[in-house]
Structures are given as C-alpha cells and as structure tokens.
Amino acid sequence: MASGQQWVLVEMVQAFYEAPAYHLILEGILILWIIRLLFSKTYKLQDSSDLTEKEIEEIIEEWQPEPLVPRMSKEKPAPSYNIVSGPPCHKITVNGKQCINFASFNFLGLLDNDRVKNQALQSLRKYGVGTCGPRGFYGTFDVHLELEDRLAKFMRTEEAIIYSYGFATIASAIPAYSKRGDIVFVDEAACFSIQKGLQASRSHIKYFRHNDMEDLERILKQQELEDQKNPRKARVTRRFIVVEGLYMNTGAICPLPELVKLKYKYKVRIFLEESLSFGVLGQHGRGVTEHFGVNIDDIDLISANMENSLASVGGFCCGRSFVIDHQRLSGQGYCFSASLPPMLASAAIEALNIMEEDQDIFRLLRDKCKLIHKELQGISGLKVVGESISPAFHLQLEQSSGSRESDVRILNRIVEYCMDRKIALTQAHYLEKEEKFLPPPSIRVVVTVEQTEEELEMAANLIKEAAQNILQ
Amino acid sequence: MGVEQGGSSPLGPGGAPSLKGPGKHLLKPYLGTWRIILPGTPGVLPSVCLTLPPHQEVSSDGAPGAYPSKNKRTHLPTVWELESGAGVGRSFRGERKGGPWTFEERPGVKVVSAGKHCVLCGIVNKSEVYKDVLSEFVPLYQDFENFYTRNLYMRIRDSWNRPICSVPGAKFDILERVSYDYNWTFKYTGRIVNDVINMGSYNYLGFAENSGVCADAAAEITLKYGVGVCSTRREIGNLDKHEELEKLAAKFLGVDAAMAFGMGFATNSMNIPALVGKGCLILSDELNHASLVLGARLSGATIRVFKHNNMQSLEKLLKDAIVHGQPRTHRPWKKILILVEGIYSMEGSIVHLPDIVSLKKKYKAYLYLDEAHSIGALGPTGRGVVEYFGLDPRDVDIMMGTFTKSFGAAGGYIGGTKELVDYLRTHSHSAVYATSMSPPVVEQIIASMKCIMGEDGTTLGQERVQQLAENTRYFRRKLQEMGFIIYGNDDSPVVPMMLYMPAKIGAFGREMLKRNIGVVVVGFPATPIIESRARFCVSAAHTKEMLDTALNVINEVGDLLQLKYSRHRLVPLLDRPFDETTYEENED
C-alpha cells in the first residue's frame, strides 16, 4: 500500500518532467486563476467611477447640503426656557414670579439643607471643584470611595459604582453588558436614558406593554420557542428585562415580585432603574425592592441617579461585585468621563446621612403624596395618572382636544395660570421625534416633604380652578 | 477607611498565580516558537513585572534584570522620523507655529517583544476570583472578553485608579494601598503619600484650587444655591447662573451663542444625534474620543473613518462621498459632518485645522471641533486651537469643549451660530432629559473664564496661559534631549512618552510613584497593545523646580527600564535660541 503510493508519487513527478512546456504554462495559469478567484473580492464596495476630473468637479460644485440646523420659522419661534433666579428650592422665583415649587424633583427637600451645604463647602475647601481627570487617571478621590461604600451599605448590596451624570448612568450600564445579538425586554414606558442605553447596546429590543406581565410572559414564551429551534445560539444570547421602579413617564410602580418570578422561570436578568423610587419608596427609602420586600440580590443591577432625592448630581449602580465591577472597565460614562466633583459626592454622603437618621421622612412624603392625590381626584377634564404614593405624577387631559399641539397649549395655559398664582408647575417635556412610545402630554406635579398641608391643598384647589376656567 | 475594592471571594494564598502548575507546560512550546522566530533575541524571559507591587514575591524564573542588554539595540532596524500626514503635514513645515510633528517609528524588536509580553502574561495568570451566582443563566460577560482583564490588566492595575485625597493641583496626596493577592484586591494602609508631583491631571491652567478667587466664588454660590438643581433645563432647572455662563462662554469663544451641559462626555454623545441623522455622513478621525464615537453611533448617520490627522485621507473620503452619494441608492448625502479633536489626548497631536477648514469650505461639509484638551491650553490667550492657528471661530460650525480640564470644573459646552444654539436648546437630549449643571460648578467656570479673559482686572489668567506654553516647551524639549520617544506637537501640553511594552506600564507607574511622581500610563485598549505609553500633562501650576525634579526622576527611571528608545538625540540647549529645532544624530 505504502509502496504503491510512493510509486504514484514518483510517476507524478516523472510526468511533470515529461509534460510539454505549453501544458505546464497552461496549468500554471489555471492555478493562478483559481487563486485569484478565491482571494479577489466578489464585488467592489465603490465601483470605480469613469468620471473625468471635470465631471467630478462639477458634481462637487453642484452638491448643496441641507443647512446644519433647520431654519426656524418666523411664526413659530423656539420656545424659551423659564429663567429661575436664585436657588431652585421650595420657594422658587420663576421668570420673576415667586412661587412654591411643585416642579423640581427635590423630594426630600435636601437641596437647601444647611448640613448638606456645609459639607459640600468643607469638601470644596479641601478638594477644589473639579477633579481634572477620569477615575482611572487620578480622578478617584477618597470621597468617591466613601460614597460608593455608603451607597452599597445603604442599599445592602455588595458594591456600588458612581457616575458623574445621572443620565449617563443607566445609559452606560446597559451597553456594558448587553451586546449585539443579546435580547432586551423593555417596558414601553421606559424613560429616555434607558432608550439611549438600549440604542448604544445594539441589542435586539423587544417591548412589552407598560406593566403588563402577561404580555411580557407572552414574548418570553415566544422567545423560548425560538430558542428551542436554535439552542446553540440561545446558549450565548444574554437576556435582560429592563424596568423602572417608579416610572418617570407614568408614575406607576413596576410589579417587581412577578418580574422576579419570571426572571427565574425564563432565566432573564433584571436591570432596575430607580431614579424616582430611590429615597422615596420603602420604609428606609431603599426603593422598590424594599417596598415589595423583594430580596435585593434577586435584582441583577439597580441604577439610580443622585439628582432627585439626594439633591446632588450624578448617578450610581449597585448590585453584586461580580456584576458591578465589570462596569469599571466597560462602563463608557465611567471610564471616559471626568469623575464627579468631590464636593457633589460629599453633598450626597451628607444627604445619605440625613436619610439614614430620619426614616420618618419617607413616611411623611408618602402621606403628602396621598393627600394631594386625594385632593386632585374628580377634576372634570383632568385625570391623575400615577400611583397614590408616587411623589411625581401626571395630570393628563381626559379628552384630547384633537391634536397634540393644542393639548400642549391647553396644558400650558393651566401651568401659566398656576404660575401666576404662586404655584410653580411644569409640563413633562419630551423630544417628540425621538421617543419610542411618546407619552401623552401632561403636567408633572412633584410633591416634596417641604410642602405644608396648606400648600398642598392650595395647589390642588388652584389646579381645580385652573381646569375649570380653562377647560370649560 | 479600609475600603476593599473588588473581589467578593478574595483569592486565597493557594490560588496565587505562578509559573508552576499547568502553566509551566504551556510555557515551553511558546518559548520554543519565539526562539525560532527570533534567533537574535535574548534567551531569557523579559520579566513580566520589573517592579512588583508591594509584598508581592518574585515567582520562579521571572527574574528582574532580564531585560535585553543595551548593546542589542545595534540590531534594531533603522529608526527614522516621520512627518505625520506625510505630504500634507509638510505645508506646516518652517512655519512659526505648528512645529514639527514628530512620530518616531517604533523599533521593530520592541514590537515583537511587546507581543511576547502579552503572550507570557496570558499564560501566567489563570485565576478566577469573580464568580457568577446565577450559573444556569447565560454568562453575563464572556470569558474571552475577560482575557485581557484577568491576564494583563490585573497584574498592573495598581497604576490606575489611585485614590487621592487632596486638590489635584501641581502636587497631590495619594492614599497608600497594598495588595496581598496580586492586585485582585487592595487594602488601604491608612497612610498617605504626601506631596506627590502630579503629572497626570488635566489641570492645564492650574485652576484646580481650593482657595483663591474661583474657589471663593464657588463657595459663596454653594451657600446661596445649594449643590443640586433637581430639574432639567427645559423644565424648571434653567438658573440665571446658567444663562450668565453661556453668555460669557460665547464671548470667550468669539461665537454668537453657546450652551453649557453637565457632562463633557454627554455633550458629545447627546448632541451629535440632534445635529445629524439618517442620510447624513459623519467623517471621523480614527483616534476620536469614545464620546464622539458614541454620539456618532447614536445619531444613526453613516460613519466613515479617516486616518489620524491625514488630510489626503479626509479629502478622498469627502470627494468619494459627494461623487458617489449614499451607498446603493446613490442619493446625495443630506449633510456631511467632520468630527475632529483639537488635541488628541493619547497622541498629543494638534489637529491640522487650517487644512481641514479649507477642505470643509471646498466640499461644503460641516465641522465639529472637540476642544476638550485644547481650550484654555492653546493659543496666545487660551482660546484654543482656533486661535493657535489664527483662524476665525466662525469657520468652525460647532465649537465643542469641556470645562473639566483647563477650567478645573466639570461639564461641556457647544458654541456656534445663534440658530445652532437655539436649535440645540429645543432638540438637545441633554437639555430636555438631563439634570442641569450644579451651580457651584457653574460659578467655578465663570470665575476661571473671567480670569483667563482678564475680566477680573488682573493679568493672572494671561500669565497662566503663558506659563503653560513655556512649561510645555521646556518639558518636551528636555525629554527629547534625554532620548525618549515623545509623540505629538511641540506646543501640546499632552506629552505621551512611548513605553511600547505592556509590562513596562506597571513598572514605570510603580517606579515613578516610588520616587513621588504621579504619572498616567496607558495601554490597551486606549492604545494599540504594542504602543503602551506614559502620558504627562503639563500644567501652568508646575514650577520649574517641580518640572526639573520630575525630569530627573524620569531620566533615572528611563535608564532603569531602558526606555530611551530614540536614536535622535537632541543636542542639549546651551546658548542656542530656544525654538531652534536641529536634529543631530548622536553616536552612542
């Protein structure tokens, strides 16, 4: 056998020597041709143009780009911002009018707390204002580590990580884990920063109806069926459910216990955005997990900003170290951005101290929410959207006047009516073209612990009055 | 404080990585291969870490001092010097400004041994510390993604995230930390390393201060306003202070209007999508910052990348784009936006702005200039790269920059025409959805900007700008004289010094800190894996003594680690004019 093969080889070599030159050349060309076919591109990305220089110049000359920004029409000038002079706390001066603030997310009234201010000042006197660097390059201050430690302890998780911008927190956290090809199940009412995070992740996104667990289970089952068809792919496809604790756009609380059941049933991880519920829900203000008595370890990642209850700037994520630590190299907003100014971190630490010392504050806030919620029921033409214990809820028109634009105008008149009478309100603003599921226009009312019962009643009465005057 | 970073289940002593165990078998074939490929290279292993983190023992044969001996450098391929952007860059030669862009080619053997370092590090460490409790779930991140983290980053990560506990000024204090488990966890000893010279922070004009006019102003505003805002610009978080800052910034930049945002990163990633969208083309420099890349991605526009600072590459892309239109449909592009940075933070190079402006005018594209590092740091009065080249700010359509660096604060801005800013005020993601800037931070920017502009009635700001320019030239010149390979432009306060080998990252960072200098070292993924480097940021707050101390130490460590790769030694300055740039070969 072996000798036979050897003989064939010898014969082949001999045949090679004996073959005429033209034959070898032909074979050679054929082999080269095959190699070329194998390695050449099947198509050209840009077919080489047979245009002459002059023609190219003409095309370049002719091309007119659109203006960088669309020209503003004369009749519809850009809406201007409200100007707040002085601090944006309980008593606020908007466009020169002194009002009681029902618009800023200063739930616990920590914005003008003297202890917080003094702590920030001390920090300023020690560290200056800016950090002049990202966390990796000497932008990590001892106060950052302290704040991370305190947040982790407060939330009773293993680890926390802070970001220098609230919006960037969840928007960086999602793409740190969810990559191209992964699947994310998202509530339709998810806020804009979640939407941007999802977009940056380039994952496959599946929306379920707002707070509708049956709908979520339906698409989870659908996914399960698909997975059975292609188990190899399913083994490497990460799945996530992204929900908010207390929805910014609807004021509703997510049904967390059901979500946790679904998590273990379908092996999907849960990311929870708690910007509104952190420092609001639960006996100690730990958010929606405490509210439902759900074990915090069942949630894979909790993200919240420090710009609402804590009245500082920035955001944080917390969870198990295995999860959170990954962001220290993969969270874009963490790695590539300057770190949080230390004075803002110090302010957040002091705010946490106050939250830990005074647990009554959360009960007080809930009582006030319930009060104004009750007062606002039964206004003809306006409906209250949101949970009764939610400190931020929406007033929507019961019946649309026909177009979004006119609805916005009507609501704006209500806001102005109240603003003229010492209650500062604001509409919930959205980028209408950018939102995936644009919420209906609404006035967002924010309750804080600083508002007295009289003020809450006054606001409720005023809104009633405004609705009567404007809607009838 | 005793904060323990990282590990949920710290590595026990038994799990300590070493060359023994299964790793040893893997090592031999690799070594053999490398020997065959590189007959000329020394047979000893380059030690993975020349200097080990405190309390770490040298494991088996990774002995220190096994670096290739100095005479091996005679085997190096000829090192030559390149002008960045070849032909186009030449248009700047001989001009007063601009100076030579020097990019010295990396020595070939270094490249190979840099690669070898990676391979070796990979074999040595195979420990698992982080465990996922949800084992039946799809893994949260892939092991493969972790390869770099576990095997390279973990061994040298003590050079990053060093916590400081003072102002990040010309000198700072560092919290001492040690690791008993090869950097998997750190313990704080409670001791503080005082007065470390800070060559790492982006404190170009020295406005990172806890006393003085700016800090006083910020302190006053803290007491008056508090630190938060709790609302967005569009709703009820538009303070009078924000308006004041924007007017001042517009005046400073020489543009019609400006808008400020709470985070520099988000200024890019949340505003580019407001400006371009589907059917638009973005031409982006290959070395653009992550925030520009993210913004471009989020916008939905088509992105094409041109070679770093290479005008020919940019022009070709512009021409092709206009002639061919959009892919497949050949519809003309709606807009073309060029994204560039003023100073590139990892290269230290200054953008060829005059050429880009003329290209942009010729092809009717729009220009987005990110001046994160250049604003305040370049130009005779600190107005950035536009002033440096003597151009009109109106030639740049979108002037973007940050307040983090030169102004010692936080946040970013966009300046331009009134229409642009008005449009952004209603369409910027940041203005509608993100909390507005903290008032004391705003005040710090206002105070420092007024100081630079001389509106505080002093020339202190102007002096800082000049001091920075002098410090930059001095520091760069000295490093070149010592024989290091330095990237970037002579006037750029960002000074990257090439280390090449990943293992030298850790060694350099540690040796410098041991001698009380805090430096930034950068490796993969911020740079190509074989182009690891150290980066110094010169500040106006550095005195000549500090710079000299730092330079002496760099010289010493450079000899120790053999970092003086350059074959072009500048002849030390004696009585020759300062800006003379004659290169002479120095025979060693």
Side-chain angles (χ1 to χ4, degrees):
Chain A
M1 190 72 190
S3 65
Q5 264 177 3
Q6 209 175 11
W7 185 78
V8 169
L9 195 72
V10 170
E11 200 175 53
M12 269 170 69
V13 173
Q14 227 159 22
F16 184 79
Y17 279 119
E18 283 167 13
Y22 74 89
H23 183 88
L24 285 180
I25 291 167
L26 192 70
E27 294 263 342
I29 289 171
L30 281 176
I31 287 166
L32 284 177
W33 183 251
I34 289 167
I35 289 170
R36 210 199 124 184
L37 281 178
L38 281 177
F39 287 98
S40 69
K41 276 184 192 148
T42 45
Y43 62 95
K44 276 178 186 156
L45 282 173
Q46 222 146 35
D47 28 336
S48 61
S49 64
D50 41 12
L51 301 168
T52 63
E53 274 302 307
K54 191 155 170 285
E55 282 168 323
I56 289 177
E57 263 169 43
E58 275 169 9
I59 293 173
I60 290 168
E61 196 63 37
E62 276 164 25
W63 181 66
Q64 279 303 330
E66 285 181 7
L68 181 60
V69 291
R71 299 208 194 291
M72 295 278 172
S73 56
K74 282 267 150 47
E75 317 93 69
K76 232 183 88 187
S80 57
Y81 291 164
N82 294 315
I83 295 183
V84 175
S85 17
C89 46
H90 179 52
K91 292 225 161 55
I92 186 169
T93 312
V94 189
N95 300 330
K97 290 172 230 163
Q98 245 222 338
C99 300
I100 295 159
N101 194 345
F102 275 83
S104 313
F105 298 108
N106 181 18
F107 302 132
L108 304 179
L110 297 175
L111 186 69
D112 53 345
N113 186 297
D114 284 335
R115 274 175 64 186
V116 175
K117 282 183 186 175
N118 282 327
Q119 202 57 44
L121 196 65
Q122 272 182 30
S123 187
L124 168 70
R125 285 302 181 198
K126 188 174 176 201
Y127 303 102
V129 176
T131 57
C132 289
R135 284 292 292 267
F137 304 155
Y138 303 104
T140 302
F141 286 64
D142 47 359
V143 280
H144 291 141
L145 301 176
E146 190 186 344
L147 177 58
E148 284 176 351
D149 203 36
R150 288 293 306 278
L151 283 166
K153 286 216 175 82
F154 181 84
M155 294 297 283
R156 299 188 169 170
T157 53
E158 283 175 12
E159 195 169 336
I161 179 171
I162 53 174
Y163 283 78
S164 58
Y165 203 46
F167 189 96
T169 312
I170 190 75
S172 295
I174 294 175
Y177 306 99
S178 184
K179 307 283 182 199
R180 198 193 282 276
D182 295 339
I183 302 169
V184 190
F185 303 93
V186 198
D187 192 293
E188 282 183 357
C191 65
F192 196 69
S193 50
I194 293 181
Q195 293 173 34
K196 284 290 127 182
L198 294 173
Q199 199 189 337
S201 75
R202 296 186 280 184
S203 308
H204 197 55
I205 297 152
K206 299 194 168 177
Y207 286 95
F208 59 92
R209 279 201 298 278
H210 178 44
N211 267 353
D212 186 342
M213 289 304 107
E214 281 168 20
D215 194 39
L216 173 60
E217 184 149 20
R218 183 183 58 80
I219 56 171
L220 283 169
K221 271 193 184 134
Q222 221 172 38
Q223 185 57 42
E224 204 175 39
L225 286 177
E226 260 174 56
D227 286 349
Q228 280 162 3
K229 278 183 215 153
N230 195 351
R232 187 173 288 188
K233 192 180 161 206
R235 264 206 300 280
V236 293
T237 309
R238 284 171 281 249
R239 295 124 227 269
F240 304 93
I241 299 175
V242 180
V243 287
E244 278 179 73
L246 189 57
Y247 282 88
M248 181 79 157
N249 294 353
T250 64
I253 297 175
C254 71
L256 199 60
E258 282 86 350
L259 282 164
V260 172
K261 269 183 219 146
L262 290 178
K263 165 185 168 169
Y264 287 107
K265 191 168 169 196
Y266 294 96
K267 309 275 179 282
V268 192
R269 293 171 194 266
I270 298 181
F271 285 2
L272 185 59
E273 152 67 44
E274 290 221 68
S275 285
L276 282 193
S277 47
F278 171 75
V280 171
L281 295 182
Q283 197 194 340
H284 303 87
R286 290 193 194 111
V288 71
T289 46
E290 196 184 22
H291 175 76
F292 284 113
V294 168
N295 184 0
I296 203 154
D297 290 333
D298 285 336
I299 311 299
D300 292 87
L301 179 118
I302 289 177
S303 146
N305 69 29
M306 305 191 280
E307 295 162 353
N308 301 337
S309 290
L310 289 178
S312 181
V313 167
F316 70 91
C317 288
C318 60
R320 273 172 286 118
S321 290
F322 167 77
V323 179
I324 298 300
D325 202 64
H326 183 61
Q327 285 182 51
R328 295 192 194 273
L329 280 180
S330 310
Q332 283 215 321
Y334 178 87
C335 297
F336 296 109
S337 159
S339 52
L340 183 69
M343 64 182 296
L344 303 177
S346 297
I349 293 172
E350 191 61 25
L352 269 179
N353 284 340
I354 294 170
M355 278 164 64
E356 277 177 350
E357 283 162 24
D358 182 13
Q359 286 160 12
D360 236 21
I361 202 168
F362 307 110
R363 194 188 43 76
L364 190 70
L365 182 64
R366 270 193 290 280
D367 289 348
K368 292 194 169 170
C369 295
K370 282 181 194 156
L371 178 77
I372 193 166
H373 213 85
K374 215 171 90 196
E375 295 282 331
L376 283 172
Q377 294 300 324
I379 302 177
S380 62
L382 278 184
K383 61 177 177 200
V384 182
V385 177
E387 209 74 37
S388 66
I389 51 165
S390 164
F393 56 91
H394 296 256
L395 298 172
Q396 289 172 3
L397 291 174
E398 264 176 353
Q399 273 189 328
S400 168
S401 59
S403 73
R404 189 176 178 96
E405 233 170 82
S406 66
D407 286 359
V408 167
R409 229 174 296 133
I410 292 169
L411 290 173
N412 200 34
R413 276 166 62 201
I414 297 178
V415 168
E416 274 172 13
Y417 185 94
C418 295
M419 207 94 102
D420 288 337
R421 288 159 185 80
K422 301 203 165 200
I423 298 292
L425 290 175
T426 177
Q427 280 194 57
H429 285 280
Y430 306 102
L431 288 175
E432 296 176 7
K433 287 185 189 134
E434 306 279 332
E435 288 276 351
K436 191 85 188 165
F437 298 94
L438 183 61
S442 64
I443 297 173
R444 199 193 293 111
V445 184
V446 179
V447 183
T448 74
V449 290
E450 285 180 304
Q451 293 153 359
T452 62
E453 282 186 19
E454 293 82 60
E455 284 166 347
L456 287 165
E457 276 164 20
M458 189 176 107
N461 289 333
L462 193 64
I463 292 167
K464 252 181 225 171
E465 193 185 305
Q468 264 165 12
N469 286 344
I470 292 159
L471 295 176
Q472 253 81 61
Chain B
M1 211 161 46
V3 189
E4 202 181 299
Q5 270 197 344
S8 54
S9 53
L11 198 69
S18 74
L19 284 169
K20 286 165 189 149
K24 203 172 180 182
H25 303 290
L26 282 168
L27 209 63
K28 279 180 180 164
Y30 272 96
L31 259 180
T33 325
W34 280 108
R35 275 204 188 130
I36 290 160
I37 292 171
L38 289 167
T41 47
V44 258
L45 289 174
S47 70
V48 173
C49 303
L50 181 66
T51 48
L52 297 156
H55 305 278
Q56 192 173 326
E57 282 166 27
V58 181
S59 58
S60 51
D61 52 347
Y67 275 92
S69 63
K70 205 175 177 187
N71 57 18
K72 285 282 183 272
R73 282 179 51 200
T74 47
H75 297 297
L76 297 185
T78 331
V79 181
W80 63 90
E81 199 179 276
L82 291 181
E83 291 260 338
S84 155
V88 188
R90 208 159 287 148
S91 60
F92 293 103
R93 263 170 93 188
E95 280 185 21
R96 184 180 62 86
K97 281 175 185 166
W101 272 267
T102 56
F103 283 88
E104 205 165 313
E105 190 78 342
R106 54 178 173 261
V109 168
K110 300 293 170 198
V111 178
V112 179
S113 60
K116 197 156 78 172
H117 278 218
C118 311
V119 175
L120 288 173
C121 290
I123 300 158
V124 170
N125 195 342
K126 277 283 173 199
S127 54
E128 295 270 359
V129 158
Y130 296 93
K131 279 274 187 313
D132 192 0
V133 292
L134 301 172
S135 48
E136 75 275 33
F137 282 55
V138 178
L140 192 55
Y141 38 92
Q142 291 295 322
D143 241 21
F144 175 74
E145 291 168 29
N146 267 349
F147 180 84
Y148 166 75
T149 319
R150 284 188 289 115
N151 301 317
L152 262 169
Y153 173 70
M154 274 299 173
R155 321 206 98 231
I156 51 175
R157 76 166 182 160
D158 57 310
S159 296
W160 290 286
N161 298 307
R162 286 174 180 157
I164 70 171
C165 52
S166 70
V167 185
K171 284 186 175 182
F172 54 24
D173 304 334
I174 293 185
L175 292 180
E176 191 183 76
R177 54 179 189 178
V178 291
S179 177
Y180 296 100
D181 52 8
Y182 301 90
N183 287 345
W184 284 91
T185 58
F186 289 108
K187 289 215 165 29
Y188 294 92
T189 59
R191 281 190 295 272
I192 291 169
V193 189
N194 282 313
D195 289 331
V196 178
I197 295 178
N198 178 4
M199 298 304 298
S201 297
Y202 307 130
N203 178 25
Y204 299 125
L205 292 181
F207 279 110
E209 294 165 321
N210 56 7
S211 58
V213 188
C214 303
D216 290 348
E220 195 185 309
I221 293 297
T222 310
L223 287 180
K224 192 174 164 207
Y225 282 78
V227 295
V229 181
C230 296
S231 187
T232 65
R233 293 292 297 278
R234 187 72 188 83
E235 287 175 2
I236 205 154
N238 179 43
L239 305 185
D240 45 358
K241 279 282 155 206
H242 296 133
E243 300 273 332
E244 185 186 340
L245 169 64
E246 287 172 358
K247 284 203 187 81
L248 187 73
K251 196 174 157 199
F252 178 72
L253 296 168
V255 292
D256 295 345
M259 183 162 184
F261 305 93
M263 182 196 197
F265 185 94
T267 309
N268 282 332
S269 61
M270 294 167 84
N271 286 309
I272 296 174
L275 296 170
V276 286
K278 216 164 172 292
C280 300
L281 176 68
I282 289 177
L283 297 179
S284 169
D285 191 290
E286 64 179 343
L287 295 180
N288 273 346
H289 189 249
S291 56
L292 289 165
V293 176
L294 180 64
R297 269 194 202 155
L298 291 179
S299 73
T302 307
I303 305 163
R304 288 183 188 157
V305 177
F306 61 92
K307 291 214 175 69
H308 175 55
N309 236 344
N310 187 328
M311 293 307 112
Q312 284 161 328
S313 168
L314 174 62
E315 181 159 16
K316 187 173 179 304
L317 283 179
L318 276 167
K319 205 181 243 178
D320 281 356
I322 297 173
V323 171
H324 296 286
Q326 299 184 32
R328 298 202 313 116
T329 60
H330 294 284
R331 282 198 198 111
W333 294 102
K334 287 181 183 164
K335 315 172 203 177
I336 298 178
L337 184 69
I338 303 170
L339 296 184
V340 290
E341 287 183 45
I343 293 180
Y344 288 84
S345 61
M346 289 300 161
E347 304 296 305
S349 50
I350 298 177
V351 66
H352 294 307
L353 198 62
D355 286 12
I356 291 190
V357 167
S358 65
L359 279 181
K360 149 209 144 59
K361 282 184 178 161
K362 185 174 168 198
Y363 293 98
K364 288 169 280 202
Y366 300 107
L367 178 58
Y368 187 111
L369 175 65
D370 178 346
E371 294 217 67
H373 288 267
S374 54
I375 192 73
L378 278 185
T381 63
R383 256 67 161 192
V385 68
V386 176
E387 191 193 29
Y388 176 75
F389 286 112
L391 298 170
D392 183 357
R394 276 159 233 277
D395 284 339
V396 180
D397 300 276
I398 302 133
M399 297 268 280
M400 182 270 165
T402 65
F403 297 126
T404 316
K405 285 129 193 159
S406 297
F407 301 96
Y413 64 81
I414 281 185
T417 59
K418 189 154 184 318
E419 291 87 66
L420 171 78
V421 174
D422 276 349
Y423 182 80
L424 282 181
R425 280 164 84 93
T426 45
H427 292 81
S428 161
H429 299 179
S430 184
V432 180
Y433 293 103
T435 304
S436 11
M437 284 173 96
S438 162
V441 174
V442 172
E443 189 59 26
Q444 161 83 15
I445 304 164
I446 293 177
S448 54
M449 201 179 272
K450 277 187 175 162
C451 182
I452 301 171
M453 292 164 83
E455 283 199 0
D456 57 347
T458 65
T459 54
L460 292 172
Q462 186 56 40
E463 281 161 24
R464 286 178 194 238
V465 175
Q466 269 157 14
Q467 188 64 49
L468 175 65
E470 275 170 37
N471 284 357
T472 301
R473 288 228 154 209
Y474 178 72
F475 190 73
R476 278 183 165 270
R477 171 101 207 167
K478 284 280 177 190
L479 283 181
Q480 275 167 347
E481 279 172 14
M482 289 173 190
F484 294 105
I485 295 184
I486 305 295
Y487 272 10
N489 184 285
D490 278 355
D491 291 318
S492 142
V494 182
V495 189
M497 186 182 106
M498 301 314 290
L499 306 175
Y500 295 114
M501 276 167 262
K504 290 194 180 183
I505 295 177
F508 189 73
R510 283 168 204 147
E511 290 296 326
M512 291 300 282
L513 186 62
K514 222 188 262 176
R515 294 163 175 80
N516 258 20
I517 314 279
V519 294
V520 165
V521 281
V522 216
F524 183 78
T527 68
I529 199 151
I530 50 167
E531 284 193 24
S532 309
R533 61 194 71 172
R535 188 183 61 185
F536 311 105
C537 289
V538 182
S539 164
H542 288 136
T543 59
K544 185 154 182 303
E545 290 73 48
M546 288 182 203
L547 288 180
D548 282 336
T549 315
L551 283 164
N552 286 337
V553 171
I554 296 166
N555 193 19
E556 188 188 326
V557 177
D559 283 332
L560 180 71
L561 304 182
Q562 299 186 4
L563 299 173
K564 297 181 174 176
Y565 300 120
S566 179
R567 308 261 299 178
H568 299 270
R569 295 290 168 89
L570 288 191
V571 175
L573 286 176
L574 295 167
D575 50 353
R576 300 193 313 184
F578 192 62
D579 58 347
E580 178 139 5
T581 45
T582 322
Y583 292 84
E584 280 176 38
E585 199 82 23
N586 188 5
E587 304 287 327
D588 352 346

